[in-house]
Amino acid sequence: MTRRSLSHYSELNTYQFVTFRTQDSVDAYLLGINEKLDLSISERQMKVDEYCDVSNKGCYLTGEILTLVMRYIKKCEPEYYQLHAVSIMPNHVHLLFQQKQDLSVVMQKIKGATAFYINKHLSRKGHFWNKSYFDKAIRDEKHFNIVYEYIKNNAVKANLSDADLRFYGMYENLI
């Protein structure tokens, strides 16, 4: 079996929609979706997100760990990006930001530091996050709004009791 890696588009000031997941959430079903060549990349990603929303595999992002990851993602602003929205699901994260550094640098910063803190908190070692991540450059205002609403409603749609803690949006609660 040949492994194909996704190519990533990175350009400063580009608005990016990024999704990454815990290593333990990746199973044969998810690996199989990525091999379905009859589906577009967006369709594959939607199926992956739908599956992860109901899967209990790799669900470490709760309680103190949820708070830790949310704080760290917010802390990386404004040096690495301007954060517009984040949804931290039990086993994956959705981000919408305007990048201020190369995308690979942003992702290494977030995933590397949070993996270190989470592994320490859980007294575990090894890879915490899956190596790959999905990114999609935002094309226009309509696309931005669709992604923002998707991120905003992800935890609510999954019926998570702590949905209010899982979402941050810079446009919420503006007076």
Side-chain angles (χ1 to χ4, degrees), residues 1-2 4 7 16 24 27 30 47 56 62-63 74 89 94 100 122 124 129 138 145 155:
M1 176 169 92
T2 336
R4 295 177 305 143
S7 58
Q16 294 279 5
D24 290 349
D27 60 14
L30 291 182
K47 287 194 173 294
N56 62 359
T62 61
K74 289 178 180 179
M89 300 297 285
H94 296 295
K100 301 299 179 190
L122 296 175
R124 56 173 271 156
W129 299 111
I138 301 298
N145 291 333

Side-chain angles (χ1 to χ4, degrees), residues 1-5 31 35 130-132:
M1 176 169 92
T2 336
R3 289 202 67 190
R4 295 177 305 143
S5 63
L31 293 172
E35 299 301 319
N130 182 258
K131 183 179 178 181
S132 67

Side-chain angles (χ1 to χ4, degrees), residues 77-120:
E77 185 181 34
E79 183 179 351
Y80 291 89
Y81 46 73
Q82 180 182 10
L83 183 63
H84 290 269
V86 59
S87 179
I88 301 173
M89 300 297 285
N91 59 10
H92 66 284
V93 176
H94 296 295
L95 296 168
L96 176 61
F97 58 82
Q98 183 181 20
Q99 67 181 84
K100 301 299 179 190
Q101 302 279 339
D102 187 79
L103 185 58
S104 64
V105 171
V106 170
M107 295 311 299
Q108 201 291 318
K109 179 75 173 172
I110 292 171
K111 290 169 68 176
T114 56
F116 174 81
Y117 293 124
I118 293 167
N119 278 341
K120 185 176 179 181

Side-chain angles (χ1 to χ4, degrees), residues 60-79:
Y60 299 105
L61 307 177
T62 61
E64 290 179 42
I65 294 172
L66 166 63
T67 302
L68 181 150
V69 173
M70 184 67 81
R71 280 188 190 143
Y72 191 81
I73 287 171
K74 289 178 180 179
K75 179 182 170 185
C76 289
E77 185 181 34
E79 183 179 351

Side-chain angles (χ1 to χ4, degrees), residues 4 6 29-50 134:
R4 295 177 305 143
L6 296 173
Y29 177 80
L30 291 182
L31 293 172
I33 288 174
N34 285 328
E35 299 301 319
K36 292 186 179 249
L37 300 178
D38 59 327
L39 298 175
S40 71
I41 291 173
S42 294
E43 289 170 327
R44 281 183 256 167
Q45 185 58 37
M46 188 59 73
K47 287 194 173 294
V48 167
D49 286 348
E50 288 170 358
F134 171 82

